Amino acid sequence: MRAHDRRALGVLCILGVVAAVSCVCFMVLGVKAGWGFILTFRGTKLLALVVVAYSIAVSTVLFQTVTNNRILTPSIMGFDALFVLIQTLVVFFLGSVALVSVDPVPKFLAEVVVMTAFAAVLFRWLFLGAERSLHLMVLVGIVFGILFRNLSAFMARLLDPNEQVSLQDALFASFNQIDATLLWVSCVIVAAVSLLGLRLVRRLDVLMLGRAQAVSLGVDYRRTVAMILAVVAVLVAVSTALVGPITFFGLLVVSLAHLMVGSGRHVWVLPASVLLGIICLVGGQTVLERVFAFNTALAIVIEFLGGLMFIALLMKGAARR
Amino acid sequence: MIVIEGLRKAYGSTPVVDGVSLRIPASGITSIIGPNGAGKSTLLSIMARLMEADGGTVIVDELDVTRTKTDLLARRLSILRQENHISSRLTVRDLVGFGRYPHSKGRLTPEDAGHIDRAIDYLHLGDLADRFLDELSGGQRQRAHIAMVLCQDTDYVLLDEPLNNLDMRHARGMMQLLRRAADELGKTIVLVMHDINFASWYSDGIVAMKAGRVVHHGAPDAIIRPEVLSAIYDMPIAVQDVAGKRIALYYE
């Protein structure tokens, strides 16, 4: 085994241990009620955090591989913005009662389908173009993101203040109110998509070389990229629908993973990102809730750190040029 | 043999490749020369199915490149383009190993490891094999990419300016290596070249392009002539015989 691989494996082991410790701490620290209650209550929350960490980490890695960049993430493509728009549209046309009273499972599935369909339309349209279409796609994504955000902001202004409050509630990333039924549906979806993704895993490394080299090495580029982007779309949809939009989380964990693992190969980066995601969410939530007894949303802390990382990456990129 | 018939490609209304028909014989080195914007790289990209032509066909050993399954073609034909941007960190050995992807689909066998080691040796990358690409100089990176393409072990190898970034020693080494691959292994190598003297010295055939068309195709003796070169490059070019090869002088 080569030195780089040994280092990467070491990092993975350490991350695995830290992630496991985070999960155990999350479950057992400061238990006051009976175990039966705690296990279901905290267990559900833990599972949700793990699913979200997994979805965001994997989708970000795949997206960055396909677009051959290390700064942009799926949220740049206007995904979370679309989620916000869907929620706003529901409140706007059906009232906040609808947001609460509609059966959550079909609503959730509908959201996932709409977001995936949106991605599919965007890609099909863009793949008719020529070489640089992925850059074009990212640009289009930004434009869509702005459009969706402004559209939602505009509609929110027209809302009754009470309705707006309940909308705000639904939109803020929150790890405290997660619907247990949604969680099971999410687990099934994520597992199914991951099985599909497993078949693509060997092609991912080749895609890092860029379109031309991947084609030259015999990868069916269009099909592979379309499939990967579909996987990304579903994963983002699931995580956003579960806890709401968190813009910089994916960027934060994937950049850290690259930094720690050294090698960019997916065998190392994918698990490292997922473990870091779990550490960030589960560990962060444990520290905030139990150690500091804060009830602040963890999302705010993560966004802050992720934002700093984003700026650092931009500065580094600018310095290189 | 590569047979190209009536190939056309335009960006917007500007034709870049304008009705190119060409037969490139199997086994040997063919260099494509011509001024900037002559359509050399575009032609190479279309030949390797990286770009779609607006019309015409490219047939490599009876296989139509646009209709053949891409993974089958990857075992027959490889290409390296000029710009190779990789956003993630990979070691030289990782990169060279990708050359085996068409054969083993990512699961490296002991046989693949042998190919990888040989390719690394050929390009004198032994000391750098476990370094990351972003720690290397431009020339070293170029050699790593070429090692990957050689590792792919295809009958047809297309290289877009393989001497880019290489110093004199490595440029000569590269051409000697390609010459050996053509002579000993019977590979068909097509190069886009800017250094016409390297092209003259090492090629079996030279294709001269200008404004999207093939204006000359023949042995170096027939192309490296003052009147031919001057017309292609729009400037006076003198030619001298040196050690039985033709050398163009265009420095003054």
Side-chain angles (χ1 to χ4, degrees):
Chain A
M1 202 177 208
R2 309 209 162 254
H4 297 302
D5 291 350
R6 239 176 290 132
R7 174 186 155 187
L9 193 64
V11 168
L12 272 195
C13 289
I14 295 169
L15 288 179
V17 171
V18 176
V21 169
S22 310
C23 291
V24 172
C25 288
F26 183 81
M27 289 301 283
V28 302
L29 275 188
V31 171
K32 290 195 190 94
W35 278 103
F37 170 72
I38 285 294
L39 278 182
T40 29
F41 179 70
R42 288 197 186 171
T44 315
K45 214 160 136 183
L46 179 66
L47 185 61
L49 291 177
V50 171
V51 169
V52 169
Y54 175 89
S55 306
I56 296 185
V58 172
S59 62
T60 307
V61 172
L62 297 189
F63 183 78
Q64 293 197 339
T65 298
V66 164
T67 53
N68 208 358
N69 89 90
R70 290 269 299 279
I71 297 179
L72 300 174
T73 63
S75 48
I76 302 277
M77 273 172 54
F79 264 101
D80 50 349
L82 181 68
F83 172 82
V84 172
L85 183 63
I86 296 173
Q87 302 281 332
T88 313
L89 281 174
V90 170
V91 176
F92 189 81
F93 288 111
L94 305 174
S96 62
V97 186
L99 201 63
V100 191
S101 65
V102 173
D103 192 356
V105 176
K107 175 169 159 269
F108 178 69
L109 287 177
E111 278 165 7
V112 172
V113 169
V114 169
M115 286 174 73
T116 313
F118 163 72
V121 168
L122 194 61
F123 303 149
R124 171 129 327 159
W125 172 51
L126 284 161
F127 277 121
L128 294 174
E131 281 259 304
R132 291 220 173 80
S133 50
L134 274 169
H135 294 116
L136 176 66
M137 181 183 73
V138 171
L139 268 178
V140 170
I142 294 172
V143 172
F144 270 113
I146 294 171
L147 175 72
F148 292 154
R149 256 174 227 125
N150 285 335
L151 214 56
S152 336
F154 172 67
M155 291 171 105
R157 287 221 172 89
L158 300 179
L159 284 175
D160 175 64
N162 286 325
E163 307 257 278
Q164 205 196 334
V165 168
S166 56
L167 177 66
Q168 285 286 323
D169 233 30
L171 289 183
F172 250 113
S174 165
F175 302 106
N176 287 316
Q177 320 140 306
I178 295 154
D179 198 316
T181 36
L182 286 194
L183 191 54
W184 291 114
V185 180
S186 311
C187 285
V188 172
I189 296 176
V190 167
V193 163
S194 299
L195 279 180
L196 175 72
L198 222 51
R199 291 180 47 227
L200 302 169
V201 115
R202 283 172 199 286
R203 268 176 262 175
L204 284 173
D205 279 340
V206 181
L207 286 178
M208 279 194 297
L209 304 181
R211 180 187 170 276
Q213 215 53 59
V215 170
S216 172
L217 289 170
V219 171
D220 187 346
Y221 187 78
R222 267 183 195 219
R223 234 186 101 227
T224 308
V225 168
M227 268 160 79
I228 291 175
L229 288 173
V231 170
V232 171
V234 173
L235 288 178
V236 173
V238 166
S239 77
T240 317
L242 266 184
V243 296
I246 1 178
T247 316
F248 290 120
F249 177 64
L251 183 81
L252 181 69
V253 295
V254 173
S255 305
L256 281 177
H258 274 287
L259 223 66
M260 293 175 82
V261 166
S263 160
R265 286 171 55 206
H266 287 84
V267 227
W268 306 122
V269 171
L270 270 176
S273 303
V274 171
L275 290 174
L276 271 166
I278 293 173
I279 293 169
C280 267
L281 281 193
V282 179
Q285 188 78 1
T286 313
V287 170
L288 279 188
E289 271 184 29
R290 317 271 176 253
V291 181
F292 293 119
F294 277 172
N295 274 326
T296 352
L298 174 64
I300 295 171
V301 180
I302 288 176
E303 294 288 46
F304 177 64
L305 294 176
L308 287 183
M309 174 68 87
F310 185 63
I311 293 169
L313 283 175
L314 283 180
M315 304 268 275
K316 205 174 124 209
R320 267 196 196 151
R321 244 152 257 159
Chain B
M1 184 156 71
I2 302 178
V3 180
I4 300 170
E5 291 287 353
L7 211 58
R8 285 183 293 105
K9 171 81 183 173
Y11 293 129
S13 59
T14 326
V16 187
V17 171
D18 195 2
V20 166
S21 296
L22 197 61
R23 280 161 183 269
I24 297 174
S27 122
I29 297 180
T30 302
S31 295
I32 306 176
I33 63 167
N36 292 338
K40 310 181 292 289
S41 298
T42 306
L43 177 63
L44 210 66
S45 290
I46 296 174
M47 280 163 69
R49 62 160 165 4
L50 300 185
M51 234 181 240
E52 261 176 71
D54 298 335
T57 54
V58 177
I59 297 187
V60 176
D61 272 355
E62 326 273 287
L63 300 174
D64 184 331
V65 292
T66 52
R67 299 228 181 89
T68 309
K69 283 192 82 174
T70 183
D71 57 337
L72 173 67
L73 210 54
R75 277 172 259 147
R76 307 290 286 278
L77 175 140
S78 55
I79 182 170
L80 181 68
R81 300 208 305 175
Q82 282 175 63
E83 292 132 37
N84 295 287
H85 168 73
I86 301 176
S87 60
S88 290
R89 296 184 91 202
L90 291 171
T91 63
V92 172
R93 186 178 297 276
D94 288 338
L95 181 72
V96 177
F98 285 133
R100 299 312 295 166
Y101 181 82
H103 305 274
S104 49
K105 296 285 179 276
R107 290 171 207 268
L108 295 179
T109 63
E111 193 200 328
D112 291 325
H115 276 283
I116 295 169
D117 287 335
R118 268 197 301 281
I120 286 174
D121 273 355
Y122 274 146
L123 287 143
H124 310 292
L125 290 164
D127 299 339
L128 305 173
D130 290 312
R131 293 265 291 277
F132 285 111
L133 290 171
D134 56 359
E135 301 164 351
L136 304 182
S137 74
Q140 291 167 332
R141 243 194 323 262
Q142 172 77 353
R143 272 151 59 208
H145 274 101
I146 293 192
M148 170 180 71
V149 171
L150 292 186
C151 200
Q152 202 175 333
D153 195 24
T154 52
D155 292 338
Y156 293 84
V157 180
L158 314 183
L159 302 173
D160 195 348
E161 291 187 42
L163 305 185
N164 222 353
N165 284 325
L166 297 187
D167 59 24
M168 278 187 277
R169 187 169 83 88
H170 284 113
R172 191 188 68 166
M174 178 70 61
M175 293 310 292
Q176 288 172 336
L177 175 75
L178 296 176
R179 194 64 256 176
R180 251 173 52 214
D183 293 340
E184 292 166 16
L185 306 172
K187 307 256 183 214
T188 309
I189 299 170
V190 183
L191 310 173
V192 167
M193 294 283 277
H194 269 305
D195 188 325
I196 50 179
N197 290 333
F198 262 123
S200 165
W201 202 283
Y202 286 98
S203 310
D204 299 303
I206 294 183
V207 174
M209 287 186 75
K210 188 177 184 183
R213 294 167 185 274
V214 170
V215 287
H216 292 281
H217 182 195
D221 289 357
I223 311 288
I224 308 297
R225 290 168 175 278
E227 68 278 9
V228 176
L229 290 180
S230 303
I232 297 169
Y233 288 99
D234 287 326
M235 65 177 195
I237 296 178
V239 173
Q240 292 210 333
D241 279 323
V242 177
K245 306 273 187 181
R246 283 166 178 273
I247 295 300
L249 298 172
Y250 49 84
Y251 302 103
E252 211 162 319

